[in-house]
Amino acid sequence: MTDGERLTRLEERYTHLQRHLGEQDLVILELSREVDRLKKELVALRGRFEVAHASGDEPASDRPPHY
């Protein structure tokens, strides 16, 4: 293998790695946004739970009328 062929192979590998890194960056950014959205949803759900718990409403313990 000549030096020119080795250099060409290294450039091809480098280009492939650059493309792969760009794709990973996009995936990580998307996952970060999803985590942020889920955190906000969790905070909202915790707030609703605290309000329901503070008011004495406990829907988990309420039995339907047919029992």
Side-chain angles (χ1 to χ4, degrees), residues 1-23:
M1 182 180 298
T2 66
D3 286 343
E5 291 171 335
R6 287 183 64 218
L7 181 60
T8 300
R9 288 186 71 189
L10 287 173
E11 288 174 342
E12 289 171 350
R13 287 180 180 176
Y14 178 72
T15 301
H16 173 72
L17 290 173
Q18 278 184 318
R19 186 178 321 124
H20 185 68
L21 181 62
E23 291 170 357

Side-chain angles (χ1 to χ4, degrees), residues 3-66:
D3 286 343
E5 291 171 335
R6 287 183 64 218
L7 181 60
T8 300
R9 288 186 71 189
L10 287 173
E11 288 174 342
E12 289 171 350
R13 287 180 180 176
Y14 178 72
T15 301
H16 173 72
L17 290 173
Q18 278 184 318
R19 186 178 321 124
H20 185 68
L21 181 62
E23 291 170 357
Q24 283 184 332
D25 286 345
L26 292 175
V27 169
I28 289 172
L29 181 60
E30 183 181 332
L31 288 172
S32 176
R33 289 178 181 156
E34 180 72 10
V35 166
D36 289 341
R37 185 188 68 77
L38 290 171
K39 283 181 181 178
K40 289 177 185 176
E41 186 177 338
L42 179 61
V43 167
L45 289 172
R46 282 182 176 165
R48 287 176 51 194
F49 175 77
E50 291 295 325
V51 168
H53 187 64
S55 67
D57 293 339
E58 295 188 28
S61 65
D62 291 343
R63 296 185 93 161
H66 61 277

